[in-house]
Amino acid sequence: MSGVKKALVSYAIEQALLGSGGAKMIKKVSEDLNHKYSCKLENCFETPKYINQVLKQSYEKKHREIVKAIEENLEEFTKDKDIRKFLFKMK
């Protein structure tokens, strides 16, 4: 089941980034994650602090907006403990 959650979170992040800054933003965030943490978007479910740090550092002004969009994308899945835990660590 964690594979499904991992994919779900990855999709929610990608959609939030796409809505906020388009494909360029997805590419930049992916590159920053890889460069700074040797991490991919798909791994953010296990390491939410990495995506959070990249967003804060690269998109300081849009950080809250992007996190809010991720929360909204995952809203219907917040009954799941692991999804709630991920969202808590994103704040």
Side-chain angles (χ1 to χ4, degrees):
M1 186 66 163
S2 67
V4 172
K5 293 176 192 177
K6 186 176 176 178
L8 181 63
V9 167
S10 178
Y11 181 75
I13 293 169
E14 288 178 10
Q15 290 302 303
L17 294 173
L18 193 61
S20 187
K24 278 192 209 180
M25 185 178 280
I26 293 174
K27 183 178 180 189
K28 170 121 174 69
V29 169
S30 295
E31 288 171 353
D32 288 351
L33 281 168
N34 188 38
H35 176 73
K36 293 177 183 177
Y37 303 107
S38 297
C39 178
K40 297 182 179 187
L41 278 176
E42 303 88 57
N43 303 112
C44 290
F45 176 66
E46 290 119 1
T47 54
K49 64 183 176 183
Y50 293 165
I51 184 75
N52 200 23
Q53 287 295 5
V54 165
L55 293 175
K56 282 182 181 176
Q57 292 168 357
S58 299
Y59 300 101
E60 185 178 342
K61 293 180 181 178
K62 286 189 164 191
H63 170 260
R64 287 298 322 146
E65 174 188 321
I66 296 167
V67 170
K68 184 171 172 44
I70 294 169
E71 290 171 347
E72 289 171 359
N73 291 342
L74 292 171
E75 187 174 357
E76 67 183 279
F77 304 100
T78 56
K79 290 182 182 179
D80 182 88
K81 177 185 72 159
D82 295 328
I83 298 292
R84 282 194 316 270
K85 187 175 171 183
F86 169 82
L87 291 171
F88 178 77
K89 289 181 178 181
M90 283 293 297
K91 294 183 179 189

